[in-house]
Amino acid sequence: MRKLKHTFLYILMIAILLIQIYPIFWIFMTSLKTADEVRSKSTFALPSSFCIDNYIRAVTTSNLALYFKNSLIVLLVTVAALILFASTAAFAIGKMRFAANKWLLSFFLLGITIPIHVTLIPLFQIYRNTHLLNTCWALILPQVGFNLPLSIYLFITFYKFIPDTIMEAAAIDGASVWRIFASMILPMSKNCIITVVTMNTIFIWNEFIFANTFISAAELKTIPIGLFDYIGAKGMVDWGATFSAISIFLLPVLLVYFLLNKGIISGMTAGAVKE
Amino acid sequence: MKSTLKNRKAWLLFLLPSLTIFIFTVIFPIIRSAWLGFFDWDGVTPMRFTGLSNYQKLFSDLYFRNALWNNLLYLIINLAGQVGIALLLALLLTKITWGCNFFKTVYFAPTILSSVAVSQAFQKFYATEPPGVFNVILQKVGLGGFVTPWLGTAQTALTSVALIECYKNMGLYLVIIYSGLMAIPADVIESARMDGASGIRLFRYIKLPYIKDVMVVAVIMAVNGLLKAFDIPFVTTNGGPGSASELVTTYMYKTAFSSARYGYGSAIAVFIALESILAVLILQRIFNRSDGKE
């Protein structure tokens, strides 16, 4: 009886699992179908051959490579800035001894509840006046700003596990505060850095609303909006190329996810789950 | 040595970049938005001060009221579909012994996918021409009469968009609730079992009180996220057909960036911010009160 219940439980879990991955599976399958198959065969049917032509067409008829490059630039600069700024600010707030630190932490945490929509109109105007509209800075700056609070919070929580006594010992030995941070704290924070990097990478890679508002120049578009355009133009007529483009977009994310899922999951739920 | 950690110059230098960017991109725009809400402005001609009239207009604007109502429905569907299903699944997940991490990882996977990509797949699933996944299934199980372009039909558009949102975010809450369930000490459950508690009673009187805090966090996170939901509705229906699936966020976006009514758009944006903060405060209050009772 107990065994039967267990078997039933596993069947149920696997059924839900199949529902969860089916859309992803469907995207990859559809990316390999010929136009004929899409039109005349069931949407559940598997592709009869691996139609790589779709991928070639997706790459040649879209600016996918360019969008990829733009996304990568935004990603690298934003993540680098986030790590540098969050790790240092968190050190100042969490480990240095100043009365204002408590207040500063609350100030930054305010940013977690604030919807980005409130900032779209003012930022749009500021960027227009300062000629930052249609530059990669229009995407990098607000994404650093909005992802800073959670990143700082994660670093502060992590630093709590580093005992103050070892910093004090280093200080007695004559190490400066810069030295303590750069050659003690930072190397010890490797795990936290990985969490912050992976979490932010997912957010930034998929970011849509800032890019859709601040970037209209084709040569500066990131993948999500470039893809959105491409879908608008081809989504109805050329499914093969459309879903090939989507697959190219999803593949690196999924690869990274299945390699580093622990860090990504703990990063994205960090606000809610106490370690 | 104490003075090393009280180095004011280092402290300032460590904080300055973060503070500058945070104030410039988050804090200042909020203040500016609240300020713009008092003006009539198309972005080109000079701003005209109109006092509270934008905010008054909100309450008589039928499109806005419709969007607000839709947002409420969207919220309810998603709370059930994200947090509700996540809770059930998390409970099931605690019952299995092998492959827990594997299931958790796969269930979470849609969370990391781009809204644009997921939305495009679901748009095809909902379509009739050619028949998408949902309509084919309906036909197969003998419910062919229900076949419809789900996103293009006024009665079903909002729910259909909400389902995409459920699919994408459920895994997040699953992981949060699961970690709460795993934190219940095993001997608590064991001794409750010895006392004869099982099934629903075990859940209601033992597990639920233990994971209450986690549930509160999950509900607050979900409500907060859903009041700001934008990407999926914008990409799939953009509020349509007509305004059948219009949400406050998509309405704000259109008002500002399609109709160039920046003042009124700012007033709506401020409403979204206040609404999010208010919702969190109200939820905290409700949960704290029920805390006092038990």
Side-chain angles (χ1 to χ4, degrees):
Chain A
M1 184 62 200
R2 206 181 156 77
K3 209 170 172 189
L4 196 75
K5 220 168 132 185
H6 223 71
T7 315
F8 176 72
L9 196 64
Y10 270 102
I11 292 173
L12 187 67
M13 302 296 281
I14 291 169
I16 299 166
L17 182 123
L18 291 178
I19 295 175
Q20 285 296 96
I21 50 171
Y22 187 74
I24 306 169
F25 176 75
W26 185 89
I27 290 173
F28 286 110
M29 286 304 110
T30 309
S31 76
L32 295 169
K33 288 182 183 176
T34 61
D36 219 38
E37 283 175 279
V38 169
R39 212 175 311 115
S40 52
K41 283 199 179 156
S42 164
T43 185
F44 285 102
L46 297 177
S48 54
S49 64
F50 288 102
C51 183
I52 296 299
D53 288 357
N54 289 335
Y55 281 84
I56 296 168
R57 210 163 56 253
V59 173
T60 50
T61 62
S62 74
N63 294 320
L64 221 55
L66 182 71
Y67 302 149
F68 220 92
K69 193 191 89 191
N70 291 336
S71 272
L72 214 56
I73 293 172
V74 172
L75 178 73
L76 290 178
V77 178
T78 311
V79 168
L82 271 169
I83 294 299
L84 181 67
F85 298 160
S87 65
T88 47
F91 180 74
I93 294 174
K95 285 294 181 198
M96 295 183 75
R97 282 152 201 184
F98 288 92
N101 279 345
K102 229 177 150 178
W103 182 87
L104 276 167
L105 178 62
S106 322
F107 181 64
F108 276 118
L109 290 185
L110 208 71
I112 293 180
T113 47
I114 284 166
I116 55 174
H117 307 85
V118 197
T119 63
L120 288 177
I121 298 171
L123 280 180
F124 183 79
Q125 268 139 14
I126 297 169
Y127 287 153
R128 202 174 48 184
N129 296 339
T130 52
H131 302 286
L132 281 175
L133 220 53
N134 278 319
T135 64
C136 62
W137 297 108
L139 300 180
I140 293 167
L141 288 173
Q143 292 198 82
V144 174
F146 269 94
N147 291 323
L148 261 178
L150 195 55
S151 306
I152 290 178
Y153 176 76
L154 287 177
F155 271 109
I156 289 181
T157 332
F158 186 83
Y159 289 161
K160 283 202 180 121
F161 293 103
I162 300 177
D164 287 354
T165 42
I166 61 165
M167 292 189 331
E168 278 155 16
I172 291 171
D173 289 346
S176 68
V177 65
W178 317 101
R179 186 78 204 263
I180 291 176
F181 176 75
S183 39
M184 266 178 83
I185 303 294
L186 216 51
M188 285 171 96
S189 316
K190 211 179 85 198
N191 284 334
C192 185
I193 293 173
I194 292 173
T195 304
V196 175
V197 168
T198 47
M199 168 191 78
N200 283 306
T201 299
I202 300 292
F203 291 150
I204 296 161
W205 193 250
N206 293 333
E207 201 286 321
F208 180 77
I209 190 166
F210 286 133
N212 194 54
T213 314
F214 302 140
I215 302 292
S216 53
E219 70 273 13
L220 284 164
K221 286 189 172 167
T222 53
I223 304 185
I225 49 164
L227 204 61
F228 185 50
D229 279 3
Y230 190 66
I231 290 169
K234 296 264 181 172
M236 284 309 200
V237 285
D238 192 347
W239 287 34
T242 303
F243 286 100
S244 298
I246 293 177
S247 301
I248 295 172
F249 177 31
L250 292 185
L251 210 58
V253 181
L254 285 169
L255 277 180
V256 171
Y257 175 66
F258 283 103
L259 285 175
L260 298 169
N261 57 71
K262 270 220 175 94
I264 294 176
I265 292 178
S266 71
M268 288 181 73
T269 57
V273 179
K274 288 180 206 105
E275 305 268 322
Chain B
M1 57 122 204
K2 271 252 168 71
S3 62
T4 313
L5 292 175
K6 283 192 171 178
N7 184 336
R8 185 166 291 271
K9 218 165 79 189
W11 184 69
L12 275 176
L13 207 74
F14 279 157
L15 276 169
L16 222 53
S18 289
L19 266 180
T20 316
I21 295 189
F22 185 66
I23 290 172
F24 172 71
T25 61
V26 181
I27 300 299
F28 174 71
I30 295 168
I31 299 166
R32 175 88 182 146
S33 245
W35 173 247
L36 281 175
F38 295 116
F39 290 86
D40 209 14
W41 190 29
D42 59 6
V44 185
T45 55
M47 292 162 65
R48 204 160 52 82
F49 184 79
T50 52
L52 282 171
S53 96
N54 277 333
Y55 293 96
Q56 280 166 346
K57 222 186 302 173
L58 278 183
F59 293 97
S60 55
D61 181 348
L62 288 178
Y63 287 104
F64 176 75
R65 277 206 249 171
N66 167 62
L68 200 57
W69 173 245
N70 283 344
N71 232 143
L72 189 67
L73 289 178
Y74 198 75
L75 184 79
I76 293 168
I77 298 168
N78 272 299
L79 271 182
Q82 290 179 22
V83 184
I85 292 180
L87 174 62
L88 288 177
L89 263 183
L91 284 167
L92 290 181
L93 207 53
T94 57
K95 291 211 183 343
I96 63 170
T97 42
W98 176 86
C100 244
N101 252 326
F102 170 72
F103 281 113
K104 202 173 83 175
T105 308
V106 178
Y107 290 156
F108 190 84
T111 310
I112 59 147
L113 300 179
S114 137
S115 303
V116 177
V118 171
S119 298
Q120 180 60 14
F122 273 81
Q123 270 176 305
K124 303 297 187 199
F125 289 180
Y126 283 128
T128 47
E129 199 47 56
V133 167
F134 290 114
N135 287 324
V136 171
I137 292 176
L138 281 176
Q139 227 143 26
K140 287 262 163 70
V141 297
L143 293 169
F146 287 98
V147 167
T148 178
W150 294 89
L151 288 171
T153 310
Q155 288 81 4
T156 54
L158 185 71
T159 315
S160 306
V161 176
L163 274 180
I164 310 176
E165 193 94 41
C166 290
Y167 167 75
K168 192 167 154 14
N169 294 326
M170 188 276 293
L172 185 65
Y173 301 102
L174 169 74
V175 170
I176 293 172
I177 297 170
Y178 178 71
S179 68
L181 285 167
M182 291 313 276
I184 304 176
D187 53 324
V188 170
I189 294 186
E190 209 43 58
S191 63
R193 278 237 169 80
M194 299 252 245
D195 293 341
S198 68
I200 293 175
R201 283 172 57 85
L202 181 69
F203 171 71
R204 170 69 187 82
Y205 295 104
I206 308 298
K207 288 182 185 169
L208 196 60
Y210 257 98
I211 59 164
K212 210 189 116 205
D213 285 344
V214 171
M215 288 302 291
V216 172
V217 171
V219 169
I220 288 178
M221 261 176 85
V223 169
N224 203 36
L226 287 164
L227 291 176
K228 304 176 199 167
F230 176 82
D231 294 8
I232 293 174
F234 179 79
V235 169
T236 50
T237 62
N238 195 13
S243 53
S245 59
E246 192 82 89
L247 301 180
V248 181
T249 48
T250 52
Y251 184 54
M252 172 253 144
Y253 201 80
K254 278 182 199 168
T255 306
F257 296 106
S258 305
S259 323
R261 292 160 70 198
Y262 292 111
Y264 192 44
S266 295
I268 305 175
V270 170
F271 177 88
I272 297 170
L274 290 179
E275 165 195 61
S276 309
I277 294 166
L278 212 68
V280 172
L281 290 178
I282 291 174
L283 282 173
Q284 275 172 343
R285 178 119 311 161
I286 292 172
F287 286 122
N288 283 340
R289 187 172 296 163
S290 71
D291 223 16
K293 254 186 225 158
E294 275 176 50

